[in-house]
Amino acid sequence: MTPVSTPAFYVTTPIYYVNGDPHIGHAYTTIACDVLARFKRLDGFRVHFLTGTDEHGQKVAKSAAERGIEPIAFCDEVSALFRNLAQALGSTNDDFIRTTEQRHVESCQELWRRLEANGHIYLDKYVGWYSVRDETFFDEGELTAGPDGTRLAPTGAPVEWVEEESYFFKLSAWQDKLLELYDSNPDFIGPKSRFNEVRSFVAGGLRDLSISRTTFSWGIPVPGNDRHIMYVWIDALTNYITGLGFPKEGEAFKTFWPESHHIIGKEIIRHHCVYWPAFLMGAGLPVPKRVFAHGWWTAEGDKMSKSLGNVIDPYEMIERYGLDQLRYFLLREVPFGNDGDFSQTAMGQRTNGELANEFGNLAQRFLSFIAKNLGGVLPEPGALNEDDNALLSACHLLLDQCRDAINQQAFHSALDAIWLVVRGANVYVDKQAPWTLRKTDPARMNTVLYVLAEATRHLAILMQPYVPSAMAKLLDQLGVAEDQRSFAFLGEAHALKGGITLPAPQGVFPRYMPGPGQEAK
Ligand code: ME8
């Protein structure tokens, strides 16, 4: 049983709308959260990782109507696609939430009741603009001119004029409390640029928020007035506490909520960093620990869209390059937080240049050397020289460097640090040239091979969150037992023992060879 003192960590993806099929953007956030969850588990944390689907609202109701089926049948179908994608990505989520589940209805209604009881909700009429695509209300001043005198939301989505009776949340009353929250918790929002964006939005003044609709019925009924359904965002955001058993504030809630990390795309930062903490504070609940907004992917230089037909299918990428390769590429190519472009040329280059050549070859060179020349027995090292110590100390420093980076969600920085050592290890092999030492100084050759194995053990253990299947194979080949692969086994105290027989080596990162018609565009 996990001891009670084990630190906890809670990570969530946004819950994805079921009005469209999953694509690479959804895969990106899920993979990032999975890397975070795996890293923390390996680092001794008790982790809860939640993902799921956002199934209510006007947009979903419209999509179901277009298909001519009941909304719930439509949701069942598309939600399953997201669930399957998570699995195909190797996601280790502990739960998959659907907002149409009864547990979630109860949770939302309880949150509403608490807000109402605390005097934060009033009934009035909403008159203004609404974007169905963003499921968001916009002020006149935020809109831009569209074609033929129409208006567009800042996201480019069309807006419609709405006039209907609505419940409102007194968001305007939360300005000072929110500013106080940001100022006393500089890590509440990452990256820093987003923090500043949110802070100045709130400092500019807040208007009360319409939180119910009456003109369609696909949503959670407002307690005590079922002519109204809840605004889809109050419903959606609440998933994060439903997933911990709310309205019960039991063990899961108490353990994980104070350690909650929401990873989202930059377009939904306002909902997560303004509305959500205000709802929670209004209901007398603690706010999440941190919200990190990453950037957006374009495809070969263009915005991904169904109409352009350039939406990148994660399954196709897995099929073509491999799952570990896709996971690595997404977190390596672009600093987490920045926008990036998904180019297959870059994907092919990272797959071959970094994974196959730099990392894969490093391991295969010494492992096959040991297999061929030493009967597969890992040699005992002799005295270590300066070069050996330099490489091993660089390995020993990696955990702290990766931890610092991962705690900031700087997935790319952790990879940069690891890659410096991968490159250093390649320089080391070339300089030490064990193939020459075999004839001139076999004892020194033994030391070099051992140092390479021990360095690779460190690299493989630390790379597990990113490329789990390849690293499982590599650690097998290094003779590292499955229960000795957590970060607690990094460092000298658990170094490999010379004299063990290693299994037959085999490549862990195959080279990508474009098939006919698959040459990078
Ligand atoms: O917004 N690049 O759901 P959604 C990077 N249901 N990430 C992308 C992306 C892209 N091109 N496209 C999508 C919703 N994403 C709401 C969320 S949460 C309480 C409710 C990712 O299906 C990114 O994480 O539109 C983004 O925030 C999310 O998918 C939006 O998914």
Side-chain angles (χ1 to χ4, degrees):
M1 225 177 88
T2 324
V4 188
S5 61
T6 308
F9 188 81
Y10 181 37
V11 59
T12 65
T13 72
I15 45 168
Y16 305 116
Y17 284 129
V18 289
N19 63 294
D21 290 354
H23 60 68
I24 203 78
H26 305 115
Y28 181 48
T29 322
T30 300
I31 289 172
C33 291
D34 185 58
V35 170
L36 206 45
R38 286 177 186 260
F39 188 98
K40 288 288 173 183
R41 286 191 201 106
L42 288 166
D43 207 12
F45 284 70
R46 194 173 150 201
V47 171
H48 193 73
F49 168 17
L50 179 69
T51 186
T53 42
D54 187 356
E55 307 188 6
H56 289 128
Q58 206 169 348
K59 180 157 69 169
V60 172
K62 270 189 179 174
S63 299
E66 278 160 24
R67 282 272 309 279
I69 56 177
E70 283 301 313
I72 190 63
F74 177 75
C75 291
D76 287 348
E77 198 180 300
V78 187
S79 177
L81 300 179
F82 280 94
R83 194 188 288 265
N84 295 344
L85 176 68
Q87 212 173 16
L89 296 171
S91 166
T92 54
N93 52 292
D94 298 286
D95 191 1
F96 185 97
I97 190 165
R98 299 186 53 188
T99 54
T100 44
E101 289 167 345
Q102 186 55 27
R103 60 171 170 164
H104 184 63
V105 174
E106 282 162 23
S107 167
C108 286
Q109 291 186 330
E110 177 58 21
L111 184 83
W112 184 287
R113 277 189 213 101
R114 291 192 192 183
L115 289 173
E116 198 163 39
N118 293 346
H120 300 302
I121 291 180
Y122 63 92
L123 188 61
D124 201 342
K125 188 173 176 193
Y126 180 79
V127 180
W129 298 101
Y130 191 73
S131 154
V132 176
R133 201 161 89 193
D134 302 315
E135 294 283 18
T136 298
F137 300 96
F138 289 103
D139 292 342
E140 182 83 41
E142 293 179 282
L143 305 180
T144 55
D148 310 323
T150 56
R151 284 160 205 258
L152 300 177
T155 55
V159 288
E160 57 190 44
W161 186 253
V162 170
E163 286 190 24
E164 63 186 68
E165 185 183 83
S166 170
Y167 285 98
F168 281 80
F169 173 72
K170 287 185 193 162
L171 186 63
S172 57
W174 288 95
Q175 182 181 16
D176 291 345
K177 278 268 178 336
L178 286 167
L179 292 174
E180 213 177 289
L181 166 71
Y182 309 145
D183 293 342
S184 54
N185 294 283
D187 288 335
F188 179 61
I189 305 169
K192 198 77 207 149
S193 54
R194 300 285 162 213
F195 180 97
N196 297 335
E197 175 190 319
V198 170
R199 200 190 179 289
S200 47
F201 171 74
V202 172
L206 295 170
R207 303 208 343 188
D208 289 351
L209 183 71
S210 161
I211 51 164
S212 75
R213 305 292 308 269
T214 51
T215 44
F216 63 95
S217 58
W218 185 237
I220 296 180
V222 165
N225 187 352
D226 56 16
R227 273 195 314 110
H228 286 251
I229 54 154
M230 292 184 200
Y231 169 42
V232 67
W233 270 101
I234 193 168
D235 162 346
L237 289 159
T238 305
N239 94 84
Y240 298 132
I241 53 174
T242 307
L244 296 179
F246 186 82
K248 279 203 274 310
E249 292 175 50
E251 214 258 330
F253 187 85
K254 288 203 186 90
T255 308
F256 290 109
W257 187 242
E259 299 305 326
S260 45
H261 293 71
H262 300 319
I263 310 297
I264 59 169
K266 64 180 183 180
E267 80 293 354
I268 52 179
I269 191 122
R270 194 183 291 182
H271 307 83
H272 283 78
C273 298
V274 182
Y275 305 164
W276 183 222
F279 294 154
L280 287 164
M281 289 191 283
L285 292 166
V287 299
K289 183 162 186 175
R290 180 165 164 89
V291 179
F292 188 98
H294 64 64
W296 267 51
W297 287 92
T298 48
E300 310 289 346
D302 292 315
K303 190 174 176 205
M304 268 187 274
S305 80
K306 262 193 212 160
S307 50
L308 286 176
N310 66 347
V311 177
I312 294 179
D313 174 7
Y315 287 100
E316 216 178 295
M317 295 304 114
I318 294 172
E319 166 91 25
R320 193 170 293 180
Y321 299 94
L323 172 57
D324 281 341
Q325 286 75 358
L326 175 68
R327 292 171 62 104
Y328 174 77
F329 174 76
L330 289 174
L331 295 176
R332 173 73 162 156
E333 180 72 0
V334 176
F336 203 63
N338 292 7
D339 292 335
D341 185 46
F342 196 102
S343 120
Q344 293 210 42
T345 309
M347 172 100 210
Q349 282 164 352
R350 298 244 183 228
T351 298
N352 290 346
E354 294 179 3
L355 292 180
N357 293 351
E358 291 185 303
F359 195 161
N361 273 359
L362 169 72
Q364 286 324 298
R365 275 164 94 186
F366 77 83
L367 284 171
S368 42
F369 190 92
I370 292 175
K372 233 190 252 155
N373 300 298
L374 301 175
V377 178
L378 180 70
E380 299 276 359
L384 302 187
N385 73 15
E386 213 179 297
D387 290 341
D388 307 332
N389 281 322
L391 179 58
L392 291 177
S393 329
C395 291
H396 298 154
L397 290 174
L398 272 180
L399 175 59
D400 278 345
Q401 294 168 351
C402 290
R403 248 189 212 138
D404 287 350
I406 294 292
N407 285 339
Q408 296 297 315
Q409 288 74 53
F411 298 102
H412 57 289
S413 304
L415 287 173
D416 282 345
I418 293 173
W419 233 258
L420 273 180
V421 179
V422 169
R423 290 184 177 145
N426 276 307
V427 170
Y428 174 90
V429 190
D430 290 339
K431 180 170 170 203
Q432 308 299 326
W435 43 90
T436 312
L437 291 171
R438 191 161 76 93
K439 302 220 173 77
T440 58
D441 188 351
R444 176 68 198 146
M445 171 195 76
N446 284 348
T447 304
V448 168
L449 293 172
Y450 176 86
V451 168
L452 282 167
E454 180 57 6
T456 305
R457 183 180 76 91
H458 280 76
L459 296 169
I461 287 180
L462 285 161
M463 282 290 284
Q464 289 175 101
Y466 294 88
V467 285
S469 329
M471 292 306 99
K473 279 194 212 146
L474 186 52
L475 288 163
D476 285 347
Q477 293 179 50
L478 288 167
V480 178
E482 275 181 32
D483 61 358
Q484 300 195 354
R485 296 178 182 183
S486 74
F487 297 162
F489 290 88
L490 290 167
E492 257 168 301
H494 301 279
L496 288 167
K497 301 262 181 298
I500 55 167
T501 302
L502 303 178
Q506 44 165 243
V508 295
F509 288 124
R511 286 183 69 79
Y512 165 64
M513 308 288 227
Q518 283 187 351
E519 290 78 16
K521 283 167 228 150

